[in-house]
Amino acid sequence: LQVGSLFFHDMRLEILNAKKTEEEKEADLQNEAADDANTNKTVGVTAGGKRKRRVPHGKISFSALGKEISARWKAITPEALSGYKARAAQDMERYKKEIEEYNIREERRRAEER
């Protein structure tokens, strides 16, 4: 992922979590426990393979969220930015490794088909 994508993701979660009520926080904890029990199931996909439409949370509009995150991005400290850059570099390494493994599997599959 890119540095900005990681920052956006983190800030979105932070902003939305700050706007949650205590009941919503308790429900999230219960949902996380249920998700952990169902880790092998595909979440958010219909039987036809299409992505399910998310229900709007109603806490903040997308444009207001974008403006808030943009303001935080402009004010980010060099230390925080270097942390995001390190995470992005780690993710790039993970991605390269996964692509390499995928290419090896595909080469084997193609060789077996011949």
Side-chain angles (χ1 to χ4, degrees), residues 43-110:
V43 178
V45 179
T46 64
K50 293 185 178 182
R51 194 176 108 191
K52 290 182 182 178
R53 184 180 173 115
R54 290 186 180 185
V55 177
H57 47 70
K59 293 174 180 52
I60 187 170
S61 70
F62 186 75
S63 62
L65 180 67
K67 288 176 184 176
E68 175 68 25
I69 293 172
S70 175
R72 291 181 183 198
W73 178 254
K74 289 177 184 175
I76 193 169
T77 64
E79 295 82 21
L81 184 59
S82 68
Y84 282 105
K85 286 181 179 180
R87 283 178 55 198
Q90 270 184 327
D91 193 52
M92 181 56 74
E93 289 302 315
R94 177 203 53 83
Y95 170 77
K96 287 178 181 179
K97 182 180 175 187
E98 287 179 4
I99 289 297
E100 189 175 308
E101 291 169 356
Y102 170 80
N103 288 334
I104 291 169
R105 282 193 314 269
E106 282 300 302
E107 285 177 24
R108 287 182 188 153
R109 186 186 60 80
R110 287 186 195 124

Side-chain angles (χ1 to χ4, degrees), residues 1-20:
L1 291 172
Q2 297 292 324
V3 175
S5 297
L6 291 170
F7 181 81
F8 186 95
H9 179 264
D10 289 353
M11 292 300 104
R12 179 183 180 276
L13 289 176
E14 185 178 306
I15 291 167
L16 293 179
N17 284 335
K19 295 186 177 294
K20 286 186 178 182

